[in-house]
Short mmCIF file of all heavy atoms in Angstrom, two decimals:
data_model
loop_
_atom_site.label_atom_id
_atom_site.label_comp_id
_atom_site.label_asym_id
_atom_site.label_seq_id
_atom_site.Cartn_x
_atom_site.Cartn_y
_atom_site.Cartn_z
N ARG A 17 7.27 -6.74 17.15
CA ARG A 17 7.03 -5.82 16.05
C ARG A 17 6.36 -6.59 14.88
O ARG A 17 6.68 -7.71 14.55
CB ARG A 17 8.32 -5.18 15.58
CG ARG A 17 8.99 -4.38 16.68
CD ARG A 17 10.22 -3.60 16.23
NE ARG A 17 10.88 -2.95 17.36
CZ ARG A 17 10.50 -1.78 17.86
NH1 ARG A 17 9.46 -1.15 17.30
NH2 ARG A 17 11.12 -1.25 18.86
N GLY A 18 5.40 -5.87 14.27
CA GLY A 18 4.70 -6.46 13.15
C GLY A 18 3.48 -7.31 13.51
O GLY A 18 2.78 -7.80 12.61
N VAL A 19 3.23 -7.53 14.81
CA VAL A 19 2.06 -8.34 15.17
C VAL A 19 0.80 -7.54 14.86
O VAL A 19 0.81 -6.30 14.76
CB VAL A 19 2.06 -8.73 16.65
CG1 VAL A 19 3.29 -9.56 16.97
CG2 VAL A 19 1.99 -7.51 17.56
N ARG A 20 -0.32 -8.24 14.67
CA ARG A 20 -1.58 -7.62 14.31
C ARG A 20 -2.40 -7.46 15.56
O ARG A 20 -2.63 -8.40 16.31
CB ARG A 20 -2.27 -8.51 13.28
CG ARG A 20 -1.42 -8.67 12.02
CD ARG A 20 -1.96 -9.74 11.05
NE ARG A 20 -3.25 -9.35 10.52
CZ ARG A 20 -4.40 -9.85 10.90
NH1 ARG A 20 -4.45 -10.80 11.85
NH2 ARG A 20 -5.55 -9.45 10.34
N VAL A 21 -2.88 -6.22 15.78
CA VAL A 21 -3.51 -5.83 17.06
C VAL A 21 -4.94 -5.35 16.84
O VAL A 21 -5.20 -4.60 15.88
CB VAL A 21 -2.66 -4.75 17.76
CG1 VAL A 21 -3.36 -4.27 19.04
CG2 VAL A 21 -1.26 -5.24 18.05
N TYR A 22 -5.79 -5.74 17.73
CA TYR A 22 -7.15 -5.16 17.82
C TYR A 22 -7.25 -4.41 19.17
O TYR A 22 -7.05 -5.00 20.23
CB TYR A 22 -8.23 -6.24 17.75
CG TYR A 22 -9.60 -5.75 18.13
CD1 TYR A 22 -10.24 -4.73 17.40
CD2 TYR A 22 -10.29 -6.27 19.21
CE1 TYR A 22 -11.48 -4.26 17.74
CE2 TYR A 22 -11.55 -5.81 19.58
CZ TYR A 22 -12.14 -4.78 18.83
OH TYR A 22 -13.38 -4.30 19.18
N PHE A 23 -7.57 -3.12 19.09
CA PHE A 23 -7.77 -2.31 20.28
C PHE A 23 -9.22 -1.93 20.38
O PHE A 23 -9.75 -1.24 19.53
CB PHE A 23 -6.88 -1.06 20.24
CG PHE A 23 -6.86 -0.30 21.55
CD1 PHE A 23 -5.73 -0.30 22.35
CD2 PHE A 23 -7.98 0.44 21.96
CE1 PHE A 23 -5.70 0.40 23.57
CE2 PHE A 23 -7.95 1.13 23.16
CZ PHE A 23 -6.83 1.10 23.95
N GLU A 24 -9.89 -2.41 21.46
CA GLU A 24 -11.30 -2.09 21.67
C GLU A 24 -11.45 -0.91 22.61
O GLU A 24 -10.95 -0.95 23.73
CB GLU A 24 -12.05 -3.31 22.22
CG GLU A 24 -13.57 -3.07 22.33
CD GLU A 24 -14.37 -4.34 22.43
OE1 GLU A 24 -14.20 -5.19 21.51
OE2 GLU A 24 -15.14 -4.50 23.39
N VAL A 25 -12.16 0.10 22.17
CA VAL A 25 -12.31 1.34 22.96
C VAL A 25 -13.49 1.16 23.96
O VAL A 25 -13.37 1.55 25.11
CB VAL A 25 -12.54 2.53 22.05
CG1 VAL A 25 -12.77 3.80 22.87
CG2 VAL A 25 -11.37 2.73 21.11
N ASN A 26 -14.58 0.62 23.47
CA ASN A 26 -15.78 0.44 24.29
C ASN A 26 -16.53 -0.79 23.81
O ASN A 26 -16.42 -1.22 22.64
CB ASN A 26 -16.71 1.67 24.15
CG ASN A 26 -16.43 2.71 25.23
OD1 ASN A 26 -16.20 2.36 26.38
ND2 ASN A 26 -16.44 3.97 24.81
N PRO A 27 -17.33 -1.42 24.71
CA PRO A 27 -18.22 -2.50 24.25
C PRO A 27 -19.12 -1.96 23.14
O PRO A 27 -19.49 -0.78 23.12
CB PRO A 27 -19.02 -2.85 25.51
CG PRO A 27 -18.23 -2.34 26.65
CD PRO A 27 -17.54 -1.12 26.14
N GLY A 28 -19.52 -2.80 22.26
CA GLY A 28 -20.34 -2.39 21.11
C GLY A 28 -20.27 -3.38 19.97
O GLY A 28 -21.30 -3.84 19.49
N PRO A 29 -19.06 -3.82 19.55
CA PRO A 29 -17.77 -3.23 19.99
C PRO A 29 -17.35 -2.03 19.12
O PRO A 29 -17.64 -1.99 17.94
CB PRO A 29 -16.79 -4.38 19.80
CG PRO A 29 -17.35 -5.17 18.66
CD PRO A 29 -18.87 -5.04 18.74
N TYR A 30 -16.70 -1.07 19.77
CA TYR A 30 -16.12 0.08 19.08
C TYR A 30 -14.60 -0.10 19.12
O TYR A 30 -14.03 -0.28 20.22
CB TYR A 30 -16.49 1.39 19.72
CG TYR A 30 -17.94 1.77 19.58
CD1 TYR A 30 -18.87 1.38 20.54
CD2 TYR A 30 -18.37 2.54 18.48
CE1 TYR A 30 -20.22 1.74 20.41
CE2 TYR A 30 -19.69 2.88 18.33
CZ TYR A 30 -20.64 2.49 19.31
OH TYR A 30 -21.95 2.83 19.18
N GLY A 31 -13.96 -0.05 17.98
CA GLY A 31 -12.52 -0.23 17.92
C GLY A 31 -11.80 1.03 17.51
O GLY A 31 -12.39 1.97 16.98
N ALA A 32 -10.49 1.07 17.76
CA ALA A 32 -9.65 2.20 17.36
C ALA A 32 -8.97 1.85 16.04
O ALA A 32 -8.22 0.88 15.95
CB ALA A 32 -8.59 2.48 18.42
N SER A 33 -9.24 2.65 15.01
CA SER A 33 -8.67 2.33 13.67
C SER A 33 -7.31 3.00 13.51
O SER A 33 -6.79 3.70 14.38
CB SER A 33 -9.63 2.84 12.59
OG SER A 33 -9.42 4.21 12.34
N GLU A 34 -6.74 2.77 12.34
CA GLU A 34 -5.45 3.35 12.00
C GLU A 34 -5.46 4.88 12.03
O GLU A 34 -4.45 5.51 12.27
CB GLU A 34 -5.00 2.89 10.61
CG GLU A 34 -4.70 1.40 10.49
CD GLU A 34 -4.45 0.99 9.06
OE1 GLU A 34 -5.17 1.46 8.16
OE2 GLU A 34 -3.53 0.15 8.84
N SER A 35 -6.65 5.46 11.77
CA SER A 35 -6.72 6.96 11.69
C SER A 35 -6.94 7.58 13.05
O SER A 35 -6.93 8.82 13.13
CB SER A 35 -7.86 7.35 10.74
OG SER A 35 -9.14 6.96 11.26
N SER A 36 -7.13 6.82 14.12
CA SER A 36 -7.34 7.39 15.44
C SER A 36 -5.97 7.71 16.10
O SER A 36 -4.93 7.23 15.64
CB SER A 36 -8.09 6.42 16.31
OG SER A 36 -7.30 5.28 16.62
N PHE A 37 -6.00 8.48 17.16
CA PHE A 37 -4.75 8.77 17.85
C PHE A 37 -4.20 7.51 18.49
O PHE A 37 -2.97 7.33 18.63
CB PHE A 37 -4.94 9.88 18.92
CG PHE A 37 -5.77 9.48 20.10
CD1 PHE A 37 -5.15 8.96 21.24
CD2 PHE A 37 -7.17 9.58 20.06
CE1 PHE A 37 -5.93 8.59 22.35
CE2 PHE A 37 -7.93 9.20 21.15
CZ PHE A 37 -7.31 8.70 22.30
N ILE A 38 -5.08 6.58 18.88
CA ILE A 38 -4.61 5.28 19.39
C ILE A 38 -3.93 4.51 18.29
O ILE A 38 -2.91 3.86 18.49
CB ILE A 38 -5.80 4.50 20.01
CG1 ILE A 38 -6.33 5.23 21.25
CG2 ILE A 38 -5.37 3.07 20.37
CD1 ILE A 38 -7.60 4.65 21.80
N GLY A 39 -4.54 4.57 17.09
CA GLY A 39 -3.91 3.92 15.93
C GLY A 39 -2.56 4.51 15.62
O GLY A 39 -1.64 3.76 15.24
N GLU A 40 -2.41 5.83 15.77
CA GLU A 40 -1.09 6.45 15.58
C GLU A 40 -0.09 5.86 16.57
O GLU A 40 1.09 5.65 16.19
CB GLU A 40 -1.21 7.94 15.77
CG GLU A 40 -1.90 8.71 14.67
CD GLU A 40 -1.84 10.21 14.91
OE1 GLU A 40 -0.85 10.85 14.54
OE2 GLU A 40 -2.79 10.73 15.50
N THR A 41 -0.53 5.66 17.79
CA THR A 41 0.41 5.12 18.79
C THR A 41 0.82 3.71 18.41
O THR A 41 2.01 3.34 18.51
CB THR A 41 -0.25 5.11 20.20
OG1 THR A 41 -0.64 6.43 20.54
CG2 THR A 41 0.70 4.59 21.25
N LEU A 42 -0.12 2.89 17.96
CA LEU A 42 0.19 1.53 17.55
C LEU A 42 1.18 1.55 16.38
O LEU A 42 2.12 0.72 16.33
CB LEU A 42 -1.09 0.79 17.15
CG LEU A 42 -2.03 0.44 18.29
CD1 LEU A 42 -3.35 -0.11 17.76
CD2 LEU A 42 -1.40 -0.56 19.26
N THR A 43 1.00 2.51 15.45
CA THR A 43 1.94 2.63 14.35
C THR A 43 3.32 2.97 14.83
O THR A 43 4.34 2.40 14.36
CB THR A 43 1.45 3.69 13.34
OG1 THR A 43 0.18 3.29 12.80
CG2 THR A 43 2.43 3.90 12.23
N ARG A 44 3.42 3.88 15.82
CA ARG A 44 4.74 4.23 16.36
C ARG A 44 5.37 3.07 17.07
O ARG A 44 6.62 2.98 17.15
CB ARG A 44 4.60 5.42 17.31
CG ARG A 44 4.28 6.70 16.60
CD ARG A 44 4.37 7.93 17.51
NE ARG A 44 5.73 8.24 17.93
CZ ARG A 44 6.09 9.32 18.60
NH1 ARG A 44 5.16 10.24 18.94
NH2 ARG A 44 7.34 9.55 18.95
N LEU A 45 4.56 2.14 17.57
CA LEU A 45 5.09 0.95 18.20
C LEU A 45 5.53 -0.12 17.19
O LEU A 45 6.10 -1.12 17.56
CB LEU A 45 4.05 0.37 19.16
CG LEU A 45 3.83 1.13 20.46
CD1 LEU A 45 2.56 0.61 21.17
CD2 LEU A 45 5.04 1.07 21.36
N GLY A 46 5.22 0.12 15.93
CA GLY A 46 5.65 -0.82 14.89
C GLY A 46 4.79 -2.05 14.74
O GLY A 46 5.24 -3.08 14.22
N VAL A 47 3.51 -1.96 15.16
CA VAL A 47 2.61 -3.11 15.02
C VAL A 47 1.51 -2.76 14.00
O VAL A 47 1.36 -1.61 13.59
CB VAL A 47 1.98 -3.49 16.38
CG1 VAL A 47 3.06 -3.93 17.31
CG2 VAL A 47 1.17 -2.37 16.97
N LYS A 48 0.72 -3.72 13.63
CA LYS A 48 -0.28 -3.57 12.59
C LYS A 48 -1.67 -3.53 13.21
O LYS A 48 -2.07 -4.41 13.95
CB LYS A 48 -0.20 -4.75 11.61
CG LYS A 48 -1.29 -4.77 10.55
CD LYS A 48 -1.23 -3.58 9.60
CE LYS A 48 -2.31 -3.68 8.53
NZ LYS A 48 -2.32 -2.43 7.70
N ASN A 49 -2.41 -2.49 12.89
CA ASN A 49 -3.79 -2.34 13.38
C ASN A 49 -4.73 -3.08 12.40
O ASN A 49 -4.65 -2.85 11.19
CB ASN A 49 -4.14 -0.85 13.43
CG ASN A 49 -5.45 -0.57 14.16
OD1 ASN A 49 -6.35 -1.40 14.21
ND2 ASN A 49 -5.55 0.62 14.73
N ILE A 50 -5.60 -3.93 12.90
CA ILE A 50 -6.47 -4.67 12.01
C ILE A 50 -7.63 -3.85 11.47
O ILE A 50 -8.31 -4.27 10.53
CB ILE A 50 -7.05 -5.94 12.70
CG1 ILE A 50 -8.05 -5.53 13.81
CG2 ILE A 50 -5.94 -6.86 13.22
CD1 ILE A 50 -8.96 -6.64 14.28
N ILE A 51 -7.86 -2.64 12.01
CA ILE A 51 -8.99 -1.81 11.57
C ILE A 51 -8.45 -0.73 10.66
O ILE A 51 -7.70 0.15 11.07
CB ILE A 51 -9.72 -1.17 12.77
CG1 ILE A 51 -10.12 -2.23 13.79
CG2 ILE A 51 -10.94 -0.41 12.26
CD1 ILE A 51 -10.76 -1.67 15.04
N PRO A 52 -8.82 -0.75 9.37
CA PRO A 52 -8.30 0.22 8.40
C PRO A 52 -8.82 1.64 8.68
O PRO A 52 -9.89 1.84 9.24
CB PRO A 52 -8.79 -0.30 7.05
CG PRO A 52 -9.99 -1.11 7.38
CD PRO A 52 -9.72 -1.70 8.73
N ALA A 53 -8.04 2.63 8.21
CA ALA A 53 -8.38 4.03 8.44
C ALA A 53 -9.68 4.46 7.83
O ALA A 53 -10.40 5.31 8.37
CB ALA A 53 -7.22 4.89 7.91
N HIS A 54 -10.05 3.83 6.68
CA HIS A 54 -11.24 4.30 5.95
C HIS A 54 -12.55 4.06 6.71
O HIS A 54 -13.59 4.62 6.36
CB HIS A 54 -11.33 3.70 4.55
CG HIS A 54 -11.60 2.22 4.54
ND1 HIS A 54 -12.87 1.68 4.68
CD2 HIS A 54 -10.77 1.14 4.39
CE1 HIS A 54 -12.83 0.39 4.61
NE2 HIS A 54 -11.55 0.01 4.45
N LEU A 55 -12.51 3.26 7.76
CA LEU A 55 -13.73 3.02 8.59
C LEU A 55 -13.99 4.16 9.57
O LEU A 55 -15.00 4.18 10.25
CB LEU A 55 -13.58 1.70 9.34
CG LEU A 55 -13.58 0.42 8.50
CD1 LEU A 55 -13.49 -0.81 9.39
CD2 LEU A 55 -14.81 0.35 7.62
N GLY A 56 -13.09 5.14 9.63
CA GLY A 56 -13.23 6.21 10.60
C GLY A 56 -12.43 5.91 11.85
O GLY A 56 -12.00 4.78 12.09
#
């Protein structure tokens, strides 16, 4: 819990931010997403 995570959706690279449904899942897991919500 509390570790910082980067989730890559596709090469590009495209990542999943805090505002994505994947980001919601990471939040429910109690970890920190490195991509802030304001990036989309």
Side-chain angles (χ1 to χ4, degrees):
R17 300 186 184 277
V19 300
R20 301 170 65 255
V21 176
Y22 167 62
F23 189 107
E24 183 160 307
V25 177
N26 268 319
Y30 291 91
S33 83
E34 294 172 320
S35 65
S36 69
F37 70 93
I38 295 171
E40 287 184 86
T41 303
L42 290 172
T43 297
R44 290 189 69 171
L45 287 169
V47 297
K48 174 66 177 174
N49 192 332
I50 68 163
I51 307 176
H54 69 80
L55 293 181

